[in-house]
Amino acid sequence: MDAHSRGRADEIDPADQWVLNPQTGNYELRLDRSAGQSPAQTPPRTRRASPAASAPAPAREPSEAPVPGQRRRRAPEASGGQVPPQSRRKRKQGASRKKKVLLWTGGTMAFVLVGGAAGAYAIYNKLNNNLDVVDVVGKDTNAGFAKGKAFNILVIGTDKRTGEGNAGYGDKNSPGHADTTILFHVSKDRTNATALSIPRDMKTDIPECQSRQSDGTIKTIPAETDVRFNVSLGQDGRDPGCVMRTVQELTGVEVDHFMMADFNAVKEMTTAVGGVKVCVEKAVNDPKSHLKLPAGESVVKGEQALAFVRTRHSFGNESDLDRIKVQQQFLSSMIRQMKSDDTLTDPGKLYDLANAATSALTVDSGIGSLTKLQDLARELSSIDTKNIAFTTLPVIDNPAEKVRATVVPDPVKAPQLFAMIQSDTSLTEVKKKQQDAKNAQAALLKGTRATAAEVRVDVYNGSGVTGAAQSTINWLQNEQGVNRSTNKSNAPEKAAKTTLTYAPNQADQARALADMMGLPATALKPGTQDAGERDPMTLVLGADFKGAGMPITGPAKAPKDLEKVAADKQVCAK
């Protein structure tokens, strides 16, 4: 993404012009009515140059293709452009006001707090104009955030060297790769989240995808097999939508939205919050990344923060997998800083954070406005940092290589972790209300069972596996005696999880079918109106389908020895 380093004019102090409305929880302009101003007016904006990069970073793999130019800037909204008179009067913020600020700014990770800060400053049209937006071809990203439904956002950090503030790093002609990729899964009850890091040097298959070019045409990029994951972006004209499709094919998890940032995001956002606390077990002096830190805790921001997340020669075995651990520790600390009183109660910091974040972000059209980011912030405001778990996709050394330069997904642990995300199972100990919800869902499996001959069901294939519906029908009829089952061919779209929809008077049939197929309680979707005597239930096979007769139930616990860290923990890099 091209870097954007926009900011306020030096003479403007948002704290002097914006006050918290205790009735709405929003920051609003303090107006001089005699001047005839409108609340829709915004402060003037100026451009400021990003500080020049001072230290070269290790070069990455070069690439030939240019980054697709399909991004578009949000259209500016009407504004009077006048500046309201300044006032030096400070207003005391009580506990109730602080609670409302926490609600609006309670999102987590960099992208979540973009939404939180944007919510508090929703009337700033300037921030709305900062966002770069990509229309993902063939993907409906405008569905919103449905209550009681989990959602997934792909966070992409590109190592693109072009653009203001980025040219000093490595190969300046590189169009960029998917250098850092995190699948952020938010539970349907909004009590927990899982942040799954995907190694850039992992070998995988990249499906065919389409991206919109700068001239408006749509380019189809052919599929590739057994290539590094990081070439799913930038190469051959691939846009973030191609990364979304790659992750979806890899994990079986439906990816709803993406957010992408470049080097400037780390520099500008860490500076905006006054720095991020990090910890190292031993002193670091890395000549390649130019990172210098004493042993113990330090506060980093700007260039130093970027050096911290990019260095790989000072920690662990100097692999990208160890660098991922450092990045997870850094993001956890940044979450805590963003949710701290120092940030949440400081209007100036909130403005700087919102401005830096929106200037550094490219997003899909489904979240490509402050209003939509505000909706996202609402969904994430209740998640406690202790219930945000960072982990890495389990991998093993690539057995096809004599010199081990790449990795491949662990054939046992990776599918188990994917199944946990698909079944919305937390990696942390969650609040009681989530357990209550799980108990209520599990209660659907308690009760009488119909006989196999009484079960009526239509089967749709949303798994992406050719012939899945017919093989299931054959198994149900020939081995289970469910003769009133019908193959309805392909579902309208692929499904991340298998679901069984039924009417209240079909509950005994649903429980019988769940027993046969090993369906988890979360797969049961009861309706509110009784069905006719001959009406069938609807079974949609999802990406969790493993084969006819194989249980679909996801694991209740994480794979053994899975490394994870909660966002509320301070961990020292080794």
Side-chain angles (χ1 to χ4, degrees), residues 3-15:
H4 311 290
S5 295
R6 296 179 173 81
R8 296 172 292 155
D10 292 339
E11 70 274 9
I12 298 174
D13 182 359

Side-chain angles (χ1 to χ4, degrees), residues 2 66-73 133-134 160 211-217 237-239:
D2 289 337
V67 166
Q70 71 284 359
R71 294 184 287 262
R72 56 183 171 86
R73 180 67 62 189
V133 181
V134 169
K160 181 182 177 183
S211 65
R212 194 178 305 277
Q213 305 301 294
S214 57
D215 60 0
T217 60
R238 292 189 178 99
D239 69 1

Side-chain angles (χ1 to χ4, degrees), residues 340-385:
S340 70
D341 289 350
D342 288 345
T343 301
L344 294 176
T345 60
D346 187 329
K349 279 187 179 180
L350 284 175
Y351 176 90
D352 288 342
L353 175 60
N355 188 56
T358 53
S359 296
L361 281 178
T362 296
V363 299
D364 64 81
S365 56
I367 51 175
S369 70
L370 290 192
T371 299
K372 293 172 181 177
L373 287 175
Q374 177 180 319
D375 291 340
L376 175 59
R378 286 196 187 104
E379 297 298 322
L380 293 144
S381 61
S382 63
I383 302 180
D384 194 307
T385 53

